[in-house]
Structures are given as structure tokens and as C-alpha cells.
Amino acid sequence: MIEIERVGEHEFEATNGRGASVRIGRKGQEGSFSPVELLVAAAAGCAMVTAETLILRRTGGDQLSAVADAIQSESGNEVISIPVTLSYDLSAVDDPEALETLVRRAVEQFCTVTRTLKQSATAPLQLPTPLQTASEPL
């Protein structure tokens, strides 16, 4: 579970059960991620976490990075694609095409975030119910 608390005007902090936290704010706000940036980071991060051992074992290196961006609809209120580019050194790899196939298969099968985005997960919103006032009959 992730808890999010307001810490200032347009500033929030998300915390997980392990004590890690990240600042969330409006797009362009200093020192924070926007919600869309967090979505993009989640897609790229999931791909990297999923493929890390597979790539580093076969490349013999320790360099792995990713770049991702949100491609939004014309209205700007919807993300329609999040292209993720993984970068790593192929100089020690005998068969780069085989590694590419393995990495794609692993991410497609095991990356929870990108799999969820492909399925268009729902995000039901629950709001507090109004409390009865003293003047209302029970």
C-alpha cells in the first residue's frame, strides 16, 4: 500500500511500507515528480528491474539505463503511449538478437507495470461518505 500525504500547497509525499518516499507535485514543480512522470518512471523502472539480471549476466557489464517519455493525446489529459528504451553494452554479446528476444519476452511476460498498462487497469476512486449531522434522524 502507498500512502500519500499533503505536505504543502500542491505538494505531496508518497510513502511505501518500507519507508521509501517520493515527492509528488504539479508538472514543472521543482523537487517533485508529476503523477504522469511517476507513471513513466514506473514503466521504465519495471522494465529495468525485470531485465536487469538477464542483461548483466549476458553482457558481463554493470551498465544499464533507460529513457522513457509519455506520449499524450492531443488534449493532453491522457497518456496514449510510454515508449521505453533500454541501453546497455553489447560489445561482449555473441548474439545480440537472441538477447533482444530474451529481454523482450521477459519484460512482456513479467513486467507488472507494462502488462497492466496494456490491459488498461481501472483506478476506482473512493470518496468519504458524508457523516450524519445531529439534526438528521437516525
Side-chain angles (χ1 to χ4, degrees):
M1 177 169 49
I2 304 295
E3 290 189 32
I4 301 176
E5 296 288 330
R6 183 174 186 264
V7 295
E9 185 177 0
H10 311 307
E11 294 181 77
F12 307 88
E13 185 173 72
T15 305
N16 66 17
R18 296 178 310 281
S21 63
V22 64
R23 296 288 257 200
I24 303 171
R26 292 186 174 188
K27 182 179 179 179
Q29 187 170 353
E30 290 295 317
S32 65
F33 283 89
S34 74
V36 171
E37 290 169 332
L38 287 173
L39 180 66
V40 171
C46 187
M48 288 183 67
V49 167
T50 302
E52 176 188 30
T53 301
L54 180 66
I55 291 170
L56 298 183
R57 186 181 318 138
R58 284 170 177 74
T59 63
D62 62 355
Q63 298 297 313
L64 174 60
S65 62
V67 174
D69 194 13
I71 297 175
Q72 294 186 288
S73 65
E74 287 184 28
S75 69
N77 293 326
E78 191 175 69
V79 174
I80 57 175
S81 181
I82 303 174
V84 175
T85 302
L86 294 180
S87 298
Y88 45 90
D89 184 8
L90 290 171
S91 62
V93 177
D94 293 334
D95 190 350
E97 291 82 20
L99 178 57
E100 178 183 340
T101 299
L102 289 172
V103 169
R104 283 187 188 282
R105 187 178 305 139
V107 171
E108 288 171 1
Q109 290 179 350
F110 303 112
C111 177
T112 303
V113 175
T114 57
R115 288 176 56 88
T116 301
L117 288 169
K118 286 179 185 177
Q119 298 296 321
S120 297
T122 63
L125 179 63
Q126 295 180 11
L127 301 173
T129 56
L131 298 176
Q132 290 182 326
T133 64
S135 63
E136 292 178 339
L138 297 176

